[in-house]
């Protein structure tokens, strides 16, 4: 009876019973039990491999998410540049419309546009438009540089996530191997 049960006992750690059966000539099942292979060690090895794959996969998934966020931030830089161009074109158009309206008003009242109040009003309009254009350019540069920094941060986070996944995988594998080593 023990000869028939020795391969099954060897799977559940019945090494001593299986070792005795091996001495009695139980065959291949008893040889496996004598070498220390058990169901628990097979399951622990499988869990180790799955843990390694899972940790690396989690790190890669987080890295991919951060890479997408970095790409979005880089895309927003281009959008911000186009919006800045549109805002400055709108400022220029508003300035031209305001100057035109001033010129018409002064000309209708018979004032010479080349000097005096009309010229001062025109100079003030140019100064205000220049200030608005400069302010908008500075705002655009600040936003674009902030988006570029955000993209760099996301890329750094992606790299850290990949590295963290590998470190977690190695740590988990080491813990399981040490646990397996203590068992034998």
């Amino acid at each position: 009876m023990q000869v028939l049960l020795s391969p099954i006992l060897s799977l559940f750690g019945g090494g001593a019973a299986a070792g005795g059966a091996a001495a009695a000539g139980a065959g291949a099942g008893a040889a496996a039990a004598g070498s220390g292979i058990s169901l628990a060690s097979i399951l622990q090895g499988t869990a180790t491999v799955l843990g390694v794959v899972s940790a690396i996969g989690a790190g890669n998934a987080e890295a991919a998410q951060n890479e997408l966020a970095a790409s979005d931030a880089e895309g927003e830089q281009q959008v911000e540049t186009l919006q800045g161009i549109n805002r400055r074109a709108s400022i220029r158009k508003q300035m031209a419309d305001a100057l035109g309206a001033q010129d018409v008003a002064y000309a209708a009242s018979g004032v010479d546009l080349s000097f005096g109040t009309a010229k001062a009003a025109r100079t003030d309009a140019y100064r205000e438009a220049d200030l608005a254009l400069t302010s908008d350019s500075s705002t655009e540069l600040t936003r674009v540089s902030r988006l570029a920094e955000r993209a760099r941060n996301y890329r750094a986070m992606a790299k850290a996530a990949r590295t963290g996944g590998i470190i977690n995988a190695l740590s988990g594998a080491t813990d399981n191997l040490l646990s397996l080593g203590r068992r034998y």
Side-chain angles (χ1 to χ4, degrees), residues 11 17 22 57 70 96-98 112 126-127 138 145 151 161 171 178:
L11 291 176
D97 290 346
D112 186 3
Y126 277 117
R127 191 175 298 126
S138 297
S145 66
S171 173
L178 289 174

Side-chain angles (χ1 to χ4, degrees), residues 13-104:
S35 68
I37 297 175
S38 67
L39 179 61
S41 61
I42 290 171
L43 290 176
Q44 186 173 7
T46 303
T48 300
V49 170
L50 291 175
V52 166
V53 170
S54 175
I56 291 173
N60 287 339
E62 185 178 345
Q65 201 172 26
N66 287 325
E67 288 288 342
L68 287 174
S71 295
D72 285 346
E74 289 170 347
E76 286 180 43
Q77 290 176 33
Q78 296 168 356
V79 169
E80 182 58 40
T81 299
L82 291 175
Q83 288 176 345
I85 291 168
N86 286 338
R87 284 189 305 266
R88 287 187 297 280
S90 176
I91 290 169
R92 286 186 192 100
K93 182 181 179 320
Q94 288 173 359
M95 182 196 68
D97 290 346
L99 286 175
Q102 278 181 354
D103 288 349
V104 168

Side-chain angles (χ1 to χ4, degrees), residues 55-56 58-60 157-171:
I56 291 173
N60 287 339
M157 288 168 45
K159 185 177 180 181
R162 280 191 195 93
T163 303
I166 291 170
I167 289 172
N168 286 341
L170 292 175
S171 173

